[in-house]
Every structure is written in structure tokens, then in C-alpha cells.
Amino acid sequence: MSIDLYKVPVGQVVGVKGKKLEELHALGISSVGQLLDYYPFRYEDYTLRDLTQVKDGDKVTVKGQIVGIPQVQMYGRTKSRMLCKVLVDTWFVTAVWFNRHFLKDKLTSGAEIVLTGKWDQKRQHITVTESEFPGQGASQTGTLQPVYSISGAFTQKWFRQTMKQALLQFGEMIPEVLPAELLYKYELLPRKAAVKLLHMPGNMEQGQRARCRMVFEELFLFQLKMQAYRAINHKRADGVAHPVDLPAVRAFVRSLPFTLTDSQKKVIAEILHDLQQPYCMNRLLQGDVGAGKTVVAAVALFAVVKAGYQGALMVPTEILAEQHKRSLDRLFEPYGIQTALLTGSLPARGRRDVLGAMQMGLVDIVVGTHALIQEDVFFRALGLVVTDEQHRFGVNQRSVLRRKGMNPDVLTMTATPIPRTLAITAFGDLDVSTLRELPKGRKPIQTYAVPHSMLERVLGFINREVESGRQAYVICPLIEESEKLDVQNAIDIHAQLQFAFPSYRVGLLHGRMSPGEKDEVMREFSEGRVHVLVSTTVIEVGVDVPNSTLMVVYDADRFGLSQLHQLRGRVGRGEHQSYCVLIADPKSEVGKERMKAMTETNDGFEIARRDLELRGPGDFFGTKQSGVPDFRLADMVTDFEVMEQARDDAAEIVRRPEFWTGAAYVPLRSFLQREHIFESEMLD
Ligand code: ADP
Ligand code: MG
């Protein structure tokens, strides 16, 4: 029987006690297994180098002979600079130490010394960071030394020593977790060897091989977790198998004011299939802005209502709730489907009425902000929850619903397109549907980046569009630190524009307005009575007014790429040619990159790819909420191919019946157990 190293306290490692033990705990390391999993993030290279082969500025380690007397200059009581001539091969170089004058007595002429530091070719200097005297004590010369991400009371030296000790005591007990077939398939190092080499690689190549193996393991286990989630969810079969009335759904689709795109049809078919299954649907619908996600949701809601259940549509803002309610009413009116609005600003009495109607089943579809399913809200028979414009909204909400004894199908819609390849990481536990095309007849939006000095011409542009019957948005940035300043900014710009266009109505929208006021402006804008809408980013998501053809963004360099693309997506929704004008500081470096991307492409997936490139995955996906893990070694972008491979392997293994019982899979199942995959709460 092998020992589970994750159950052996880290204090069992010789030398780990007292304060050091406490600090390891603070780092999240309480078992030997966790300690061994704490990998270095890079290596310090102490391989001896030939000075004729190195470049100026390189970090080098060289061996030489002291040939002179050290010269010390003191600056104040503690600061110093010490110079000493050293003969390296046939070169006389000068070793320079800062604040290490206490080494002076050791620098005896003729002695051998190993210097590590930065090589200054011009002056023939080495600025020494570490030095060693051969033959005196342990040597790191010629080795690679791991560098760990630690701080405070730990030194790299102590950590390396402790890791070595842990490997000595427990290294032989490191179990394999990957199935032998995968090791064989990819010629991966066994875990035991890989862990040892990661901490103490003989050379870079070995370190690289070890890293390869551990990257695969990390990605494979992550994907296994995702695939197991899905499999367990499907197996549980505790959802509603909706009896979908296909002829009625077809008739509804035919009654729509437009023909669905092939993409929309395909996605609807996927959703209808899920609705009819006994498991809970957990599906993500992604598509570029303007791809027509709302109507897909409408068809799904229609199908569920026709099957005798209720639906909920959750959105992040009240503005969007109002808008969706209006467009659903237009579509559902002829079918006698009852909708209701439930938002935070509903007066108590109205709220009570809506809640009562929902509970009695008098309301078929409720549209609202997320307060909709959180509080004292109950449905008679909730069959489908659609959440619009929110990453991972659905996932957290599911546990709330489950606790109420409801187990609806969940459809999450997002307009931040995720490069297809990354979607499997971020949303590996969901089924993903993608709208790949925009409705026919859309003209690509023309985008321009201009400096602030061209404001006059921008105003002329606004004038031209409004004169020909169109409408325009003008966006002022959201200044994170101060909503107040932000609002002031919007108020000022609004006043300027109203002054510039006395015969037009210029509306104002910002976060400090009451829901009623916001609603009023939005309604007037969507009915064409307000010609120009000055707004903060509150209109970023979802707003749909097809007659607006011009989007002007002030201080565009302050926005992220995906956000700019979202904003631009507010126009180009009808048959008219639309424009996006980005007023940006031409001196801003990040701004320049973003404006370049925005003017070069209209494709949301391409924008997302560049955004990811510019910002890196952590920032791109936002908080922990997004569900994207912080990998220890793997990099979601550069190790992407491995990720795909690992996903396929994990899916294949989870499909095998013996995976759930067979002895060969015990290590994988214990991993899942450690991750609490089998506890039902985690499924939410
Ligand atoms: P998003 O995917 O950004 O949420 P919407 O659902 O708001 O997009 O749709 C954008 C606009 O396109 C809406 O005005 C909608 O009525 C319209 N639309 C949706 N599908 C089609 C289609 N197949 N043909 C024409 N117009 C469509
Ligand atoms: Mg939308």
C-alpha cells in the first residue's frame, strides 16, 4: 500500500519546524505532497561560461584567480564598492562588489574564485551577485538552481535545501497519477522522475522534459475534472425532459420578422435537443455582438412555455431588462404568453403582485435582473433560466435554484467571444454553442481613430447622421476611482453637445440616475425622440437600437479592447451603414495598439484574440469568478495545443465505463475526490 503524501504533514520533513512550519502553512503548504508540488518558476544558471562566448549584459558564471589586492571605497557607514582584479583564462577582468566589503579578507591574491554576475564587456567588469571559493563547502557551480516564488522569512537557499531534504525522504514514494497509456503515448517522464528534475534539473534540457510532463499532467487533470463534472451531471438525470412541441416551435420561428441565420438554426436545434433530455442543460451560447442571441433565447423560452413550464431571463442591468421585456412581448403577444418584469426598482406592491402571479403560474416568463431568482422568489414550475451578457452568471445561480428545489435548464449567453480554442478551458464544464455569422445584409462598421483636436469634425459627423434621420451614441469613460468625476464628465459633455446642436435632443444617461430616469431616456432614444445619447459605459452591453449608426467614444484609449468592441456593437444593427469614431490620445502606447486592432477588424473573435495577447489570460478573463484556473506551470495561451490534446484524452477516458470503477483509474479518481467532484454541491 502506498502512502498518500498529501496526508503526510510537511513537518515530517527534517528541518521543518517552528516558524518555518507556520510560514509554509501560510503559503498553503501543509503536506509533503503540497510541498513537492510547489514548483520553481525559473532556474538560476551557474554553468561555467567562456567569456569570449558571452554577450555584453549577460549574466555569467566564471572561474578565475585573484590577482591583486581588493580596493574598497566606503560611502557612509554601510555602503561600499569593492574592486578586485581576477584572471579568467587569459583575461584580466575587474570584479565589482557593492556593499560586500566584509568579503575583503577572503580575497587573497592567487586564490581561486567563482564569480556570478553581470558582464560589462566594454569595461571588462563583472558586477558580482554571488561568489564562491572552490573547495570550501557546498558548491553550486556548474548547476542549475531552482528559484521559487517565496518571500518574507524564507531564503531561496533554505527552500532549496528543504526541497532536497523532502525529496530525499519522500521522493521514492511519489506515486504516478497518469494512466500508463498516456505516458507511453506522449513519451512522458514518470511523475517521480519529473518532480525530482523540476526541483533539481541537471541541465536545461532535463528541466524542460520535466516541465513538459508536468504541464501535460496539470492540463489533463484540469480537463478531467471538467469532463467528470459534465458526465456526472448528465448521469444524474434529475432535470426536466421537456416535451417540446416542434410544430408549434416551427410556426413561431416562421412568424418572426426575419429569417434565422443558419447559425441560429443550428444553435436552436442544439438547445431544443438538450431541453428534451432528462439531464439539466448547462449550455453557453457565445456569439459576436449583434449576432442575434436574443431571438435564440426567445425560441428556447417559447418551447419551454409550450411544454408547460415557466422561463426566466436574467440580465445585468434594468435597462436591458426593460428592452428584453419589450421585444419578447412583441414576439409572444399573438400566442397569449404572459411576461412580467421583476427588477429592484419595482414598488413593493407591484413586486408582490408579480411574485404572486409567478407562484400561481399566471406568468409564463419573467424578465429581470439577478435579484429575480435570489430572494423570496418562487416559481410554480421553472423550466429554463436564460442569463444574458454575463460570464458564468448561470453557474453561481444554479446552486441558489437547487437549494430551492428547482432544477431548471440553464442557458448562459455571452457576447465576449472567447477564441474557440480557449472556450474549452474557460468553459470546459459547459456545452458551448457558437453563433458564427451575423444576420445577412449587415454592412461592416467603419471605424476611425482620431485625436481630440479633430473634435469639430466629429461634431460635423454627428450632425450629418442625425440630419439624415439616424441617431448617435457618445460615450464618456468610466473612471474607476471616481464615479462622481465620471458623471460630471458626462454632464459636461452633454451640455457641450446640446449647445452645439440646439435643434436636436441630446439625452444623458449615467449610473447615478434613478432607474425611472434611465428608463425614460432609453425609451425616448429607442423611439427616436432623442437624437444623440451621451452616456457612460452603462449602455455597454446588450442595448439594441437599430436606427443608431454612429458610436463616438471619448478617451477611447482608456477602454479595453473587448469593451471597445462591445461599445461598437451598439451600432451596425440595422440596414444602414454605421460608423465608430474613437477619440484617442495618439501618444498613449496601449491606446495605439488597441486603436490599430479596432480599425483593422470588426471580428469579435479576432479582437478577443488580440485582447488576450495584449492583456494576458489572467486579466482577460477577469476575476476568479470566470472559472479559469491559475495554472502552476501551464500557460493557457502558449500550451494551448497540449490543452486540446489533454481535453480529448480526458473526454475519452471519462467515457469508458471502467473509469468509474476500474483499479487502473484509482489515482485519477482519488484526484477527483480531493477536488470534491463527487460531492453534489460542487456541481453547482
Ligand atoms: P446580440 O447577439 O448582440 O444580443 P441581438 O439579439 O440584440 O444581438 O440582435 C441584434 C439585432 O439583430 C436585433 O435588432 C435583432 O432583432 C436582429 N436580428 C436577430 N436575428 C436576425 C436575423 N436572423 N436576421 C435579421 N435580423 C436579426
Ligand atoms: Mg444581447
Side-chain angles (χ1 to χ4, degrees), residues 294 388-389 542:
T294 315
D388 192 15
E389 302 291 1

Side-chain angles (χ1 to χ4, degrees), residues 258-261 264 288-294 439 442 544 546 573:
F258 40 71
T259 325
L260 293 180
T261 63
Q264 284 170 321
D288 207 344
V289 267
K293 292 181 288 292
T294 315
R442 295 271 175 84
D544 183 41
R573 303 185 143 240

Side-chain angles (χ1 to χ4, degrees), residues 323-353:
Q323 176 186 297
H324 278 338
K325 161 96 162 67
R326 253 178 281 140
S327 44
L328 290 185
D329 279 345
R330 233 176 289 134
L331 298 174
F332 291 152
E333 168 92 89
Y335 299 90
I337 293 175
Q338 294 301 317
T339 67
L341 192 65
L342 192 68
T343 60
S345 61
L346 212 59
R349 177 125 178 265
R351 181 182 153 80
R352 218 166 34 235
D353 291 348

